Amino acid sequence: MAMAALALPRAERAIRVVGLVTATVRVGLDRGVTLVRCRADDIALMEVEPDTLTPVSSGHELAIARALVDERRSFIRPLRFDAGRDAVLPDFVLR
């Protein structure tokens, strides 16, 4: 979903994509000139609802998140790292 969204012009995207890049950076001198070399080691992309940056993992979750935001509902989005391995998490918790 993230790659498909990034392929669209920005004005046509229904979601935003947040990225995290880990990189190796090397700085050195070559004949008195400072050279910076960078290499991306790993890239992770995450789809988020555009207004609140709430993570979503499908078009269905995006539709629910948009509806909650439009209705000005207070909610939280439980994330997998917040719970044990076997826990079943709701998509959204209304407050």
Side-chain angles (χ1 to χ4, degrees):
M1 193 161 94
M3 294 303 291
L6 291 174
L8 297 173
R10 185 176 290 232
E12 296 177 24
R13 295 179 194 161
I15 62 171
R16 285 193 181 167
V17 177
V18 176
L20 173 67
V21 178
T22 58
T24 300
V25 179
R26 294 202 173 124
V27 179
L29 287 173
D30 183 16
R31 294 179 227 149
V33 176
T34 301
L35 298 176
V36 179
R37 292 187 177 95
C38 300
R39 182 185 76 220
D41 297 322
D42 200 8
I43 299 172
L45 300 175
M46 179 174 61
E47 304 86 6
V48 295
E49 189 279 327
D51 294 327
T52 61
L53 302 182
T54 301
V56 295
S57 59
S58 71
H60 300 290
E61 286 183 6
L62 176 61
I64 294 169
R66 296 290 312 159
L68 292 171
V69 170
D70 290 345
E71 293 291 322
R72 303 181 59 90
R73 296 294 305 262
S74 178
F75 66 93
I76 60 171
R77 171 82 162 110
L79 299 177
R80 175 64 43 204
F81 63 81
D82 292 338
R85 250 186 126 120
D86 296 329
V88 176
L89 298 175
D91 290 335
F92 300 93
V93 175
L94 299 178
R95 301 178 107 190

